[in-house]
Amino acid sequence: HPQRWAEQERAAYDAVAERIASLAPLLAEGEPLRLAAAYALGHFPNAAGGAAGDVRGAYDASTDETTRATLLIALAMLSLHAVEKDETVAFFRRVHDSESNAILRASAAAGLALLGAADDEVAQTISAAVIAGSADHTKIPWNDGDFDDYLALVLPFAAKGREATVAATLIDALAHATQLAKRSITHALLGVVAPSSDYRAMSDVQLRALKAVEEHGLW
């Protein structure tokens, strides 16, 4: 987190931010330059926000799953602080509703969740991806390459207002999940129910979640 950075770390970040926009033309290049540029640009939303249109264009031009997923996540990050998000939300909605590839559909759903545009279907898409644990084989660079756990981190944003329903889905899935998927499901579940630090004040769904983790989680 920037607030915990040492002075030299902040200086290095600011120095890169001054020239980060120069990477935008690389989005029109082939692999692996396009993927590397998207990953770099996504870390500088304030300085590179103007590249969002280039990122959308690069997505439509690319055919590589890993690059396309990386572009979608970068687009979400670049759009977080944008004043006008409607065009980006519409883009994510188009990808989510038309894409048959589960990884790309989940990436678009994650973008909608981060931009505050999630609905029941978006929450279901991310939940299903976390439960399936099918992203483990990918080389998507976000979250140190752990894309399933990246989706677990995003799911609480999609679950706002529908926590009980999403939690119930994850609780049911935990009992039958593969060992590979249990960690991300547990992470997502705890993020969705956000257990109180006061055990006496826990809700029924929070208690059910912790019971499920005790019986079927990895710990």
Side-chain angles (χ1 to χ4, degrees):
H1 194 283
Q3 292 181 342
R4 295 196 295 268
W5 286 352
E7 183 177 348
Q8 60 270 29
E9 292 174 320
R10 183 74 220 192
Y13 181 90
D14 291 342
V16 175
E18 290 180 3
R19 298 197 175 193
I20 193 66
S22 65
L23 296 183
L26 296 180
L27 294 170
E29 300 291 336
E31 310 306 338
L33 287 176
R34 179 182 282 151
L35 185 152
Y39 183 63
L41 288 164
H43 290 86
F44 297 85
N46 292 325
D54 295 322
V55 173
R56 290 194 298 269
Y59 178 86
D60 288 330
S62 178
T63 58
D64 179 74
E65 177 191 76
T66 300
T67 298
R68 297 188 101 193
T70 300
L71 286 161
L72 288 173
I73 300 169
L75 178 59
M77 295 175 71
L78 290 173
S79 304
L80 281 175
H81 305 300
V83 176
E84 181 53 63
K85 297 181 175 67
D86 290 350
E87 188 174 0
T88 300
V89 167
F91 175 81
F92 280 133
R93 185 70 61 188
R94 170 173 69 82
V95 174
H96 178 264
D97 293 348
S98 63
E99 183 56 64
S100 59
N101 181 295
I103 299 296
L104 299 181
R105 195 162 187 262
S107 299
L112 289 167
L114 290 173
L115 296 182
D119 56 18
D120 291 346
E121 191 174 0
V122 165
Q124 290 168 8
T125 295
I126 301 175
S127 297
V130 172
I131 291 167
S134 58
D136 181 68
H137 67 284
T138 68
K139 295 181 180 179
I140 300 168
W142 304 102
N143 197 43
D144 293 327
D146 189 347
F147 190 63
D148 285 325
D149 212 48
Y150 169 80
L151 295 176
L153 284 167
V154 172
L155 184 55
F157 294 97
K160 288 182 179 178
R162 50 186 71 85
E163 288 88 353
T165 300
V166 173
T169 299
L170 296 173
I171 289 170
D172 290 342
L174 190 58
H176 310 289
T178 65
Q179 285 294 107
L180 187 64
K182 281 182 182 290
R183 178 179 178 276
S184 293
I185 295 173
T186 300
H187 189 181
L189 178 59
L190 295 178
V192 169
V193 301
S196 166
S197 59
D198 183 353
Y199 69 90
R200 294 167 297 182
M202 279 188 176
S203 67
D204 178 65
V205 69
Q206 290 172 331
L207 290 171
R208 286 174 53 217
L210 293 182
K211 183 66 174 177
V213 171
E214 178 190 20
E215 293 181 349
H216 305 293
L218 288 182
W219 299 289

